Amino acid sequence: MDYTKLDDYRQVIETILGEYASLSYSYADIQSEVVFDRNRDRYLWMDIGWDGDRRIHGCLVHIDLIDGKIWIQRDGTEEGIAADLERAGIPKEHIVLGFRPPELRPYTGYAVA
């Protein structure tokens, strides 16, 4: 894998997740955080806080870079983070919907692995 392309993918992922995390919640005391581990190529968008008396702590998006491809392990966005990645110029064949069962991935229009 071309290291320049890998660095571009890292930057695109970090930018997109950062934009999502910058949106604030109007109905609860919830903070969004991003976690970027460039050494292991893991990227998370987390929500942490309180919605009334209910504790909020969860991962909305989890992305890994594996063998030069972007693996979406968890996607809690409305439209789908893959669409954001595509708009940023990432080819569909470099995006794997890891949260989909392997037998269904060929029908998604994205990479299978």
Side-chain angles (χ1 to χ4, degrees):
M1 179 73 194
D2 179 353
Y3 287 108
T4 302
K5 186 170 292 239
L6 200 55
D7 281 337
D8 290 345
Y9 286 2
R10 289 178 181 121
Q11 187 59 49
V12 166
I13 293 166
E14 290 176 6
T15 298
I16 290 170
L17 292 183
E19 289 171 359
Y20 273 112
S22 70
L23 303 173
S24 60
Y25 286 85
S26 60
Y27 66 88
D29 183 24
I30 300 172
Q31 289 75 44
S32 291
E33 297 181 358
V34 288
V35 181
F36 303 147
D37 181 351
R38 279 186 168 227
N39 290 331
R40 293 178 184 85
D41 278 323
R42 291 190 177 100
Y43 304 85
L44 305 173
W45 166 28
M46 306 281 301
D47 272 352
I48 300 167
W50 293 93
D51 184 4
D53 61 353
R54 190 173 136 240
R55 178 69 173 156
I56 303 297
H57 183 270
C59 176
L60 295 171
V61 175
H62 172 183
I63 296 174
D64 292 327
L65 286 174
I66 302 171
D67 296 329
K69 292 186 180 174
I70 297 174
W71 281 69
I72 303 171
Q73 307 290 13
R74 164 102 171 89
D75 187 354
T77 65
E78 201 167 307
E79 182 183 4
I81 198 92
D84 295 307
L85 293 168
E86 281 183 76
R87 281 191 290 276
I90 309 294
K92 284 182 131 181
E93 59 270 13
H94 289 189
I95 301 170
V96 179
L97 303 181
F99 58 89
R100 297 279 184 229
E103 63 272 10
L104 296 181
R105 288 185 202 148
Y107 308 107
T108 64
Y110 293 95
V112 295

